[in-house]
């Protein structure tokens, strides 16, 4: 036994020695113990030379130690990074592999910034090393880089607001991380492979939207416009609860007057989206599109055609603005803003007095802009009056011109401001409804019906002492809106909005019965399955009678505190079929959501680009529009503070200060009021035309084309009030130097260099 044991001991020692030798000869670059358990491709070409210090990773190719982990090794292999030299033995394939992985990982981090719940990810600067590196840069170095960027922007005529764009900031960060030696893409790469690559990324966005189209349904939007070259272009967009997706823009110059051709275009798009996904089609309310809508509903038995609500409200505002009582006031407001915006020094003085803001308020439609500008003027009326009675204005050469005196008279006239108030009383409720129907934050279909009813009530209340006037305005609204409300989806959306339906039909069985009939009509059209029809109908009765979970205290309380979609998600689980049907209705928009100035396509369809191939032109529009839509919705999701929800009518300020009565006695100083100033200067007397002398043409300039004509009464427009016609006033200030505020009090003054301006720039205001 002993001998056996002694004979076996050398054998064991020999085996152990062999194992020791084998272990010591293993290449550490392939030793699994010296690599992290990770799928990172960098570990194929690196390892830890010292397991006690895992911050150092050694390159298997050249043997160089990288002191900041695997990330620095990948930069070493990829090359182009200023913090570490490129590997001298790396192949082109490995270098490309590392570079692709770094860029892919960087892109993933940038996409994670879209999470609005992560405060750290909201700020891209927190995710990079650039801020730390900036501590080691001098002010002079930054100025040099800033100057290079500025030179490029100025030379290429790029708008200054490009620096606010998120992708511009990401681009600069990407270049900074790449390091010195970066070569920008070539002309061929931009117009070829890169354009194709970016388009493929945008196409991927469509897959996310398609899931919502199938689950909640969608709206196909057809929105046309005519460009500066006279071409009629039509945009096709798809809207759902997740947002709006741009599909295509086509030149339809040959289609616009032929309803059958327009029908074929829209029908093709419905086929592309999927007929089962399209709940409604929205177009303008022109004669051709009405025919198209009828043809679509005849062929596609489950969808509805609906005219654009914002277009309808825009027509109302146009007709109201053309009433003689309001038309002259709007023209005077345009004259004032045009005069101010034509003169740089006067414009800057005005901005200083109103807190750096703009006087002209851009609206979602052309005619809303006129009323929003009057609203801005009325809000800043005291500052405007003070500006035009200041010493600087009195000493300015512009104040001596005919148009300058006319603007002063207008702004100091109580009569003018009272007329502005009347314009706002008639328009403000409609502008609020327009904001609701044109908003992208939440679907508006369920709110529009009662919003317009509330607007008409407020207009009647605003002109309680002028019955003929409010009736005139309400008649204009009804003329356009009855056509709009003739489409049943609005009524069904009201039925499925618990916050409005139960209050609207309270103790009114006639309203309730009418809504129930329309609901049944829409149900039969949209749900051809008879068994499913019966299920939804039975569940609708449970909802209407507030039975089951709908009668619970929390469900009743949440009617007015939750959006309709969220309410159904929270309380509709016992009626799943009705809940899914409600999603398809409540998720609909009621407006084209159009780009009203069409800046996206004016940028692409320019003279400089009109030689581009048609496909490349379409690709540019496709990419740019969808990127803008994505950024718009992302920015709105990240906006943490909002003044109010435009779809919650109870939170809207229907009785704003400019709608609550004439305020003639605003105090200027102590007991001095603007009414005193008006009477002292005869502003209202002059602007109303009393005691005005006839002015003849002088020096070939027609100062007045006609006197202001006074009428004793106007039968339909003003409830017996006097109406004035707009007079022709010569803009004789074009050759007058804009010296406003350039001389101090008591300064004799001197020759001032005239400031250049574009006299047609503000002609549309």
């Amino acid at each position: 036994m002993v001998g056996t044991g002694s004979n076996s001991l050398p054998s064991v020692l020999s085996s152990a020695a062999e194992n020791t030798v084998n272990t010591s000869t293993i290449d550490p670059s392939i030793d699994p113990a010296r690599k992290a358990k990770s799928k990172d491709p960098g570990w194929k070409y690196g390892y830890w030379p010292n397991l006690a210090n895992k911050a150092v990773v050694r390159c298997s190719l050249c043997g160089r130690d990288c002191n900041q982990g695997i990330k620095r090794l990948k930069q070493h292999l990829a090359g182009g990074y200023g913090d570490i030299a490129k590997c001298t033995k790396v192949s082109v394939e490995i270098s490309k592999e590392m570079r692709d992985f770094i860029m892919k990982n960087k892109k993933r981090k940038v996409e994670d910034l879209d999470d609005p719940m992560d405060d750290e990810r909201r700020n891209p600067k927190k995710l990079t090393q650039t801020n730390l590196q900036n501590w080691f840069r001098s002010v002079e170095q930054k100025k040099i880089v800033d100057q290079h960027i500025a030179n490029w922007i100025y030379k290429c005529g790029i708008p200054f607001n490009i620096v606010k764009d998120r992708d511009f900031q990401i681009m600069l960060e990407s270049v900074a991380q790449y390091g010195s030696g970066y070569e920008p893409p070539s002309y061929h790469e931009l117009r070829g492979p890169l354009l194709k690559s970016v388009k493929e990324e945008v196409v991927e966005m469509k897959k996310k939207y398609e899931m919502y189209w199938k689950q909640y349904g969608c709206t196909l939007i057809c929105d046309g416009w005519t460009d500066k070259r006279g071409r009629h272009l039509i945009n096709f967009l798809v809207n759902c609860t997740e947002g709006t997706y741009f599909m295509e823009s086509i030149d339809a110059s040959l289609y616009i007057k032929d309803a059958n051709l327009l029908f074929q275009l829209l029908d093709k798009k419905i086929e592309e989206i999927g007929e089962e996904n399209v709940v409604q089609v929205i177009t303008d309310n022109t004669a051709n599109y009405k025919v198209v809508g009828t043809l679509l509903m005849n062929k596609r038995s489950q969808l509805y055609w609906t005219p654009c609500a914002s277009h309808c409200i825009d027509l109302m505002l146009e007709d109201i603005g053309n009433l003689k009582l309001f038309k002259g006031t709007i023209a005077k407001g345009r004259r004032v803003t045009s005069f101010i915006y034509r003169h740089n020094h006067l414009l800057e003085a005005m901005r200083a007095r109103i807190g750096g803001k703009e006087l002209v308020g851009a609206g979602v439609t052309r005619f809303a802009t006129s009323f929003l500008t009057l609203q801005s003027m009325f809000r800043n009326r005291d500052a405007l009056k003070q500006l035009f009675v200041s010493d600087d204005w009195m000493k300015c050469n512009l104040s001596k011109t005919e148009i300058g005196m006319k603007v002063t008279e207008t702004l100091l006239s109580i009569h003018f401001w009272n007329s502005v108030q009347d314009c706002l009383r008639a328009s403000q409720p409609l502008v609020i409804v327009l904001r609701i129907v044109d908003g992208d934050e939440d679907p508006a279909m369920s709110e529009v019906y009662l919003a317009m009813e509330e607007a008409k009530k407020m207009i009647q209340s605003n002109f309680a002492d002028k019955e003929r006037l409010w009736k005139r305005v309400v008649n204009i609204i009804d003329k356009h809106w009855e056509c709009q409300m003739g489409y049943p989806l609005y009524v069904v959306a009201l039925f499925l909005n618990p916050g409005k339906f139960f209050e609207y039909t309270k103790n009114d069985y006639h309203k309730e019965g009418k809504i129930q009939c329309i609901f049944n009509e829409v149900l039969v059209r949209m749900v051809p399955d008879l068994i499913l029809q019966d299920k939804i109908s039975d569940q609708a009765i449970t909802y209407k009678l507030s039975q089951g979970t709908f009668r619970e205290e929390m469900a009743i309380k949440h009617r007015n505190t939750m959006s309709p979609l969220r309410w159904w998600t929270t309380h509709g689980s016992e009626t799943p079929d009705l809940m899914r049907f409600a999603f398809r209705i409540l998720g609909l928009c009621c407006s084209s959501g159009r780009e009203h100035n069409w800046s996206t396509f004016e940028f692409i369809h320019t003279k400089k680009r009109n030689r581009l191939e048609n496909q490349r032109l379409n690709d540019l529009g496709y990419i740019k529009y969808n990127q803008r839509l994505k950024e718009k919705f992302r920015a709105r999701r990240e906006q943490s503070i909002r003044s109010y929800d435009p779809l919650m009518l109870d939170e809207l300020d229907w009785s704003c200060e400019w709608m609550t009565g004439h305020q003639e006695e605003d105090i200027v100083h102590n007991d001095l009021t603007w009414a005193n100033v008006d009477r002292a200067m005869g502003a209202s007397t002059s602007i109303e035309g009393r005691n005005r002398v006839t002015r003849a043409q002088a020096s070939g300039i027609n100062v007045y084309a006609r006197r202001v004509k006074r009428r004793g009464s106007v039968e339909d427009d003003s409830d017996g009030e006097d109406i004035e016609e707009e007079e022709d006033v010569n803009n004789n200030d074009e050759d007058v130097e804009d010296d406003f505020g350039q001389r101090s009090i008591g300064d004799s003054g001197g020759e001032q260099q005239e400031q250049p301006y574009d006299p047609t720039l503000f002609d549309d205001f």
Side-chain angles (χ1 to χ4, degrees):
M1 294 292 294
V2 174
T4 302
S6 61
N7 290 335
S8 62
L9 181 61
S11 175
V12 172
L13 292 176
S14 174
S15 176
E18 290 177 2
N19 290 338
T20 302
V21 173
N22 290 339
T23 301
S24 62
T25 58
I26 291 177
D27 185 356
S29 65
I30 61 173
D31 184 0
R34 295 179 178 272
K35 298 176 182 288
K37 295 180 179 180
S38 170
K39 296 181 180 180
D40 193 312
W43 290 109
K44 294 189 295 184
Y45 312 105
Y47 63 96
W48 290 312
N50 183 1
L51 294 177
N53 182 12
K54 294 185 177 181
V56 177
V57 178
R58 179 170 295 171
C59 176
S60 303
L61 302 179
C62 68
R64 177 169 182 148
D65 288 343
C66 304
N67 295 321
Q68 295 186 22
I70 194 65
K71 177 180 179 180
R72 189 65 73 201
L73 174 69
K74 288 182 291 187
Q75 294 175 347
H76 168 63
L77 296 172
Y81 290 86
D83 296 324
I84 190 169
K86 184 176 181 179
C87 178
T88 56
K89 297 184 179 181
V90 67
S91 66
V92 176
E93 291 78 12
I94 295 176
S95 180
K96 184 178 184 302
E97 179 187 8
M98 294 299 104
R99 185 177 302 280
D100 290 345
F101 183 82
I102 292 172
M103 296 305 297
K104 181 179 179 181
N105 191 49
K106 184 188 304 180
K107 178 182 176 183
R108 186 182 300 114
K109 288 184 177 181
V110 170
E111 290 176 346
D112 288 343
L113 295 175
D114 288 341
D115 183 1
M117 305 303 295
D118 191 340
D119 290 336
E120 292 183 358
R121 289 179 174 181
R122 285 187 183 183
N123 187 353
K125 297 180 180 178
K126 295 183 180 180
L127 296 177
T128 66
Q129 298 179 2
T130 305
N131 283 342
L132 180 62
Q133 295 173 358
N134 284 343
W135 286 100
F136 302 98
R137 310 295 189 195
S138 66
V139 176
E140 289 72 18
Q141 287 177 306
K142 184 178 185 303
K143 285 184 178 180
I144 293 174
V145 178
D146 289 347
Q147 189 66 48
H148 290 161
I149 294 175
N151 287 339
W152 173 70
I153 290 176
Y154 301 152
K155 182 179 179 181
C156 297
I158 298 174
F160 296 159
N161 60 4
I162 190 68
V163 299
K164 299 180 181 179
D165 185 76
R166 186 167 176 266
D167 287 317
F168 176 76
Q169 299 169 1
I170 293 175
M171 175 193 70
L172 294 182
E173 182 64 36
S174 177
V175 173
Q177 290 189 6
Y178 183 92
S180 60
Y182 170 73
E183 295 183 2
S186 66
Y187 172 77
H188 169 72
E189 290 172 329
L190 281 175
R191 69 195 301 267
L194 286 177
L195 179 62
K196 180 180 178 181
S197 175
V198 175
K199 182 184 177 182
E200 290 173 353
E201 292 180 0
V202 176
V203 172
E204 285 295 313
M205 293 167 48
K206 184 179 179 181
K207 295 180 180 179
K208 180 183 70 172
Y209 286 110
E210 286 176 337
M211 293 189 298
Y212 286 89
W213 299 348
K214 293 178 181 178
Q215 184 174 1
Y216 301 109
C218 63
T219 298
L220 172 60
I221 298 172
C222 173
D223 197 12
W225 66 297
T226 302
D227 68 1
K228 295 178 179 178
R229 298 169 58 192
R231 297 177 302 174
H232 188 84
L233 306 175
I234 296 181
N235 286 355
F236 295 97
L237 306 98
V238 184
N239 177 270
C240 65
T241 55
E242 181 64 15
T244 302
Y245 183 80
F246 171 74
M247 296 190 68
E248 183 182 19
S249 177
I250 66 170
D251 185 350
S253 301
L254 300 178
Y255 294 72
I256 190 59
K257 295 183 180 181
D258 192 323
N260 289 320
L261 292 178
L262 287 173
F263 161 72
Q264 293 175 17
L265 286 175
L266 279 166
D267 190 62
K268 181 180 178 182
K269 291 301 173 187
I270 293 172
E271 196 70 35
E272 182 179 340
I273 299 168
E275 180 182 2
E276 67 282 1
N277 300 328
V278 181
V279 180
Q280 72 168 347
V281 176
I282 288 182
T283 69
D284 285 343
N285 194 16
T286 58
N288 278 351
Y289 279 114
K290 287 182 180 179
V291 176
V292 172
T294 302
L295 293 174
L296 284 174
M297 292 182 64
N298 289 338
K299 180 178 180 179
R300 307 287 183 175
S301 59
Q302 297 182 38
L303 60 78
Y304 281 90
W305 171 77
T306 309
C308 175
S310 63
H311 180 247
C312 178
I313 298 175
D314 193 42
L315 295 176
M316 296 178 194
L317 292 172
E318 179 183 9
D319 287 351
I320 292 172
N322 284 330
L323 292 177
K324 292 180 180 178
L325 180 62
F326 303 139
K327 188 174 183 179
T329 302
I330 294 174
K332 288 184 176 67
R334 287 175 178 168
R335 179 198 299 163
V336 171
T337 56
S338 178
F339 177 76
I340 293 175
Y341 275 81
R342 278 205 306 266
H343 302 284
N344 294 335
H345 294 147
L346 182 59
L347 177 60
E348 292 304 316
M350 180 274 295
R351 287 172 175 162
R353 287 183 179 269
I354 65 174
K357 301 177 182 178
E358 294 295 334
L359 194 62
V360 176
V364 292
T365 66
R366 173 186 173 191
F367 298 103
T369 298
S370 298
F371 292 106
L372 290 177
T373 300
L374 287 181
Q375 173 183 316
S376 177
M377 291 179 63
F378 191 83
R379 184 184 296 115
N380 298 290
R381 62 191 182 280
D382 286 341
L384 290 173
K385 292 175 184 178
Q386 292 167 2
L387 176 65
F388 282 85
V389 297
S390 65
D391 290 339
D392 284 337
W393 169 250
M394 295 302 181
K395 294 183 179 181
C396 174
N397 289 338
L398 292 174
S399 67
K400 310 302 189 299
T401 63
E402 201 68 46
I403 182 63
M405 290 187 287
K406 177 56 61 179
V407 168
T408 302
E409 290 176 354
T410 299
L411 292 175
L412 297 181
S413 169
I414 295 297
H415 174 80
F416 169 72
W417 292 114
N418 287 343
S419 298
V420 170
Q421 277 189 297
D422 285 340
C423 285
L424 297 179
R425 286 170 171 166
S427 64
Q428 189 65 16
L430 291 178
V431 172
I432 291 176
V433 179
L434 180 61
R435 179 171 183 175
I436 292 174
V437 303
D438 214 53
D440 290 319
E441 294 89 347
D442 291 296
M445 180 68 75
S446 62
E447 302 286 344
V448 175
Y449 191 93
L450 292 185
M452 187 57 74
E453 293 298 314
E454 186 70 15
K456 291 192 291 186
K457 290 178 182 178
M458 290 308 303
I459 291 173
Q460 179 178 350
S461 175
N462 291 337
F463 296 104
D465 57 337
K466 300 179 181 179
E467 181 179 357
R468 296 173 66 186
L469 180 56
W470 72 254
K471 285 185 176 180
R472 177 72 168 171
V473 175
V474 170
N475 286 339
I476 290 174
I477 295 174
D478 288 339
K479 179 183 70 174
H480 294 286
W481 200 243
E482 285 176 1
C483 175
Q484 189 77 23
M485 287 294 101
Y487 298 91
L489 289 180
Y490 290 101
V491 179
V492 176
L494 172 63
F495 172 71
L496 296 171
N497 182 354
K500 298 295 184 292
F501 169 71
F502 291 103
E503 183 67 26
Y504 179 68
T505 60
K506 188 176 182 180
N507 299 325
D508 192 329
Y509 299 105
H510 175 71
K511 288 182 179 178
E512 185 177 311
K514 182 178 179 181
I515 292 175
Q516 180 68 62
C517 290
I518 296 176
F519 173 80
N520 294 338
E521 172 192 333
V522 173
L523 176 61
V524 170
R525 179 176 177 84
M526 291 184 58
V527 183
D529 188 325
L530 298 180
I531 297 177
L532 185 56
Q533 279 182 20
D534 292 339
K535 289 182 179 180
I536 295 176
S537 180
D538 291 340
Q539 294 171 12
I541 294 175
T542 302
Y543 161 70
K544 187 174 69 172
L545 299 178
S546 296
Q547 297 175 346
T549 57
F550 297 128
R551 71 187 306 169
E552 294 179 356
E553 182 179 351
M554 180 176 291
I556 295 174
K557 181 181 68 174
H558 285 169
R559 288 175 182 173
N560 297 316
T561 59
M562 283 185 174
S563 69
L565 282 172
R566 187 178 177 187
W567 188 88
W568 279 99
T569 302
T570 306
H571 303 289
S573 57
E574 286 192 358
T575 55
D577 302 305
L578 177 61
M579 180 176 67
R580 285 190 289 270
F581 183 77
F583 285 158
R584 293 179 71 84
I585 300 295
L586 296 173
L588 298 175
C589 63
C590 53
S591 171
S592 64
R594 65 187 68 185
E595 295 283 345
H596 295 280
N597 58 6
W598 294 105
S599 56
T600 299
F601 294 95
E602 287 291 359
F603 172 76
I604 296 171
H605 295 275
T606 59
K607 184 179 296 186
K608 294 180 180 179
R609 296 169 178 248
N610 62 4
R611 295 183 181 179
L612 290 173
E613 296 92 332
N614 187 58
Q615 184 58 49
R616 186 174 293 121
L617 192 65
N618 289 335
D619 289 346
L620 285 172
Y622 178 76
I623 292 170
K624 185 172 177 60
Y625 205 142
N626 276 304
Q627 287 177 338
R628 284 191 59 178
L629 288 171
K630 180 182 177 181
E631 177 64 19
K632 180 173 71 171
F633 281 93
R634 183 200 64 81
R636 289 184 176 180
R637 285 195 299 266
E638 289 188 358
Q639 187 177 1
S640 58
I641 300 176
R642 295 178 56 189
S643 58
Y644 63 86
D645 183 353
L647 297 184
M648 304 301 289
L649 297 182
D650 295 338
E651 297 182 11
L652 293 175
D653 187 7
W654 291 92
S655 56
C656 302
E657 62 169 341
W658 52 84
M659 299 172 63
T660 56
H662 294 180
Q663 302 179 18
E664 299 186 2
E665 297 303 316
D666 294 335
I667 301 298
V668 180
H669 179 68
N670 294 335
D671 295 331
L672 180 64
T673 67
W674 284 116
N676 301 142
V677 175
D678 180 9
R679 287 189 289 270
M681 300 187 66
S684 289
T685 301
S686 177
I687 201 171
E688 292 173 22
R690 294 193 292 268
N691 302 325
R692 180 177 294 166
V693 298
T694 304
R695 299 182 181 270
Q697 294 183 349
S699 302
I701 300 176
N702 182 13
V703 178
Y704 285 101
R706 61 185 181 271
R707 293 185 60 185
V708 178
K709 297 180 180 178
R710 301 290 294 173
R711 295 183 179 178
S713 64
V714 175
E715 182 175 353
D716 295 326
D717 295 328
S718 63
D719 196 23
E721 288 194 349
D722 291 342
I723 302 298
E724 59 182 291
E725 289 187 359
E726 182 60 17
E727 56 190 302
D728 292 335
V729 179
N730 179 55
N731 291 343
N732 58 349
D733 58 326
E734 294 187 0
D735 295 327
V736 179
E737 56 184 354
D738 182 8
D739 59 348
F740 182 83
Q742 301 303 297
R743 295 191 297 264
S744 61
I745 299 177
D747 186 2
S748 60
E751 296 271 340
Q752 298 289 334
Q753 184 176 0
E754 184 176 358
Q755 299 294 325
Y757 68 91
D758 180 358
T760 65
L761 185 58
F762 302 99
D763 285 352
D764 292 334
F765 292 150

